[in-house]
Amino acid sequence: MTAVYAVALALVSVAAVLTVVRLLRGPSTLDRIVALDVLVTLIVTGVAIDVAARGDLAAVPLLLVLALLGFIGSITAAHLVEQREDLR
């Protein structure tokens, strides 16, 4: 199982690097907002993989807080984009 966790963490790491590239180069603000949301999701995934690999449940509250922050960030971004569209 250790190899599965290592491969999963490697894939999540590659996805995070690609997401950071999109975050830095995104042509629009909406692209950057979506990249931030994806990055938070990848961080939650990485922490979840670590929790599963170690069997230590101490990081579960961190998962909940990160997931909640990601959700609130997505809702806020969608609200801001909607307001921007109303101004046009």
Side-chain angles (χ1 to χ4, degrees):
M1 278 312 248
T2 304
V4 173
Y5 294 133
V7 169
L9 280 176
L11 291 174
V12 168
S13 299
V14 169
V17 168
L18 293 174
T19 303
V20 168
V21 169
R22 171 55 68 193
L23 181 67
L24 295 175
R25 297 184 62 195
S28 70
T29 304
L30 188 59
D31 289 334
R32 291 186 170 115
I33 290 171
V34 171
L36 272 175
D37 189 38
V38 170
L39 191 60
V40 169
T41 303
L42 290 171
I43 290 170
V44 169
T45 304
V47 172
I49 291 170
D50 183 57
V51 166
R54 291 187 304 141
D56 184 18
L57 299 178
V60 171
L62 176 66
L63 284 173
L64 293 174
V65 170
L66 285 174
L68 183 63
L69 285 176
F71 175 73
I72 291 172
S74 297
I75 296 297
T76 303
H79 182 69
L80 291 175
V81 168
E82 181 184 5
Q83 282 183 342
R84 182 184 287 176
E85 293 296 322
D86 287 343
L87 293 177
R88 290 183 184 176

